[in-house]
Amino acid sequence: MKLTPDQKERYAKHIIMKAMGEDGQKLLLESRVLCVGSGGLGSPVIQYLAAAGIGTLGIIDDDIVEMSNLQRQVIHAGNLGRSKVESAKEYVESLNPDVTVVAYDMRLGPDNVEGLISDYDVVVDCSDNFATRYLLNDACVLYNKPLFHGSIFMFEGQVMTILPHEGPCYRCIFSSSPSTDAARVAGVMGILPGVVGTMQATEVVKYISRLGKSLVGRMIYYDALGMRFDEITVNKNPKCPVCGDDPKITSIVAENY
């Protein structure tokens, strides 16, 4: 593809960097990214991936915009009561006409996850519940899709990149899901998902444009109260139920989630 004059102007700050240049920007414009969730984490991920020029951005969410969302879900202003994916689609289209948005107003589940992720180059986990988080991890490992994980809790967040067959997955650290989604009960600092989601988007852009070192085998833990970032080394677990030496999860079935 050739960049148009408008694209050369829009992405000028990318293009003038020798490490990225026009070739890196073209990779972004030709890429397909699926964002699972358009809430707290999804808002900054969607914002910055759209601004960067991701060619096709899939957004899946079955929720509507509520007043309590607006403390942190910054792309949904003025859209109370509307579908979050339609609100997000409208936001992206006003921000960057280069981006094609595919809106999925539905819930991700064992019955549709394979078909959804198969259409995309990479998947970003912006979910807010453990069932979806584990489902995405397992599906991306089984179907060999890069996964960019982020999660938040009160004043803390974590980010890691999962490249199947190259490093550990989410279950290598947390083999099974807790029984409750504590963050929904405990709440979250409104600014926190902006920090964590921006790190996720950074990892996606780096991966697609083939820049830098990814967070494979490393988890970044962010403590907002202490304003501290810690890097935690994560090793592949040979007993991991999905990517270990003798995996117990070899297909996506509802009983697993």
Side-chain angles (χ1 to χ4, degrees):
M1 64 177 296
K2 290 185 177 181
L3 299 185
T4 66
D6 283 349
Q7 287 173 329
K8 289 181 179 180
E9 182 177 358
R10 178 181 289 270
Y11 308 115
K13 296 301 184 183
H14 276 174
I15 294 169
I16 61 174
M17 294 189 295
K18 290 183 179 179
M20 179 173 282
E22 285 198 21
D23 289 342
Q25 186 60 52
K26 289 175 185 177
L27 290 173
L28 294 174
L29 288 164
E30 292 169 346
S31 67
R32 298 177 58 86
V33 176
L34 178 64
C35 183
V36 181
S38 59
L41 289 171
S43 288
V45 168
I46 290 165
Q47 278 185 312
Y48 279 101
L49 292 185
I54 295 298
T56 300
L57 186 57
I59 306 171
I60 179 168
D61 202 315
D62 68 341
D63 207 354
I64 63 171
V65 180
E66 300 177 351
M67 183 70 75
S68 62
N69 300 148
L70 302 182
Q71 164 248 21
R72 64 202 176 280
Q73 300 180 19
V74 295
I75 65 174
H76 298 305
N79 285 320
L80 288 174
R82 291 187 60 192
S83 157
K84 283 188 180 178
V85 291
E86 290 302 323
S87 171
K89 183 175 189 290
E90 184 178 277
Y91 177 91
V92 172
E93 289 175 344
S94 68
L95 176 67
N96 190 350
D98 286 341
V99 181
T100 298
V101 182
V102 184
Y104 302 96
D105 191 354
M106 64 178 73
R107 188 170 186 83
L108 189 77
D111 59 335
N112 60 20
V113 64
E114 180 182 3
L116 284 168
I117 69 174
S118 65
D119 286 338
Y120 293 88
D121 302 319
V122 303
V123 181
V124 192
D125 177 12
C126 299
S127 62
D128 64 354
N129 64 87
F130 287 117
T132 302
R133 192 169 298 153
Y134 280 86
L135 174 62
L136 273 178
N137 175 81
D138 299 351
C140 287
V141 170
L142 293 175
Y143 305 128
N144 196 29
K145 290 288 181 179
L147 176 64
F148 298 86
H149 161 76
S151 61
I152 51 177
F153 175 73
M154 295 180 68
F155 303 100
E156 305 170 359
Q158 62 188 37
V159 183
M160 68 180 292
T161 294
I162 299 162
L163 301 184
H165 313 303
E166 292 187 30
C169 75
Y170 187 76
R171 281 194 191 267
C172 286
I173 316 168
F174 310 107
S175 61
S176 60
S177 172
S179 57
T180 60
D181 289 302
R184 292 184 172 185
V185 179
V188 62
M189 183 183 186
I191 299 169
L192 180 67
V195 177
V196 174
T198 302
M199 287 194 284
Q200 288 178 272
T202 301
E203 282 290 283
V204 173
V205 169
K206 284 166 48 188
Y207 176 81
I208 293 172
S209 54
R210 301 168 188 172
L211 295 173
K213 181 180 180 181
S214 75
L215 283 174
V216 174
R218 299 181 294 147
M219 176 181 283
I220 297 297
Y221 167 79
Y222 172 54
D223 170 15
L225 289 184
M227 194 50 70
R228 185 179 71 246
F229 293 88
D230 293 319
E231 180 179 306
I232 302 166
T233 299
V234 180
N235 296 314
K236 198 172 179 67
N237 181 1
K239 296 182 179 180
C240 175
V242 71
C243 74
D245 297 338
D246 185 23
K248 296 178 176 58
I249 299 171
T250 56
S251 62
I252 299 298
V253 293
E255 289 76 12
N256 289 330
Y257 313 99

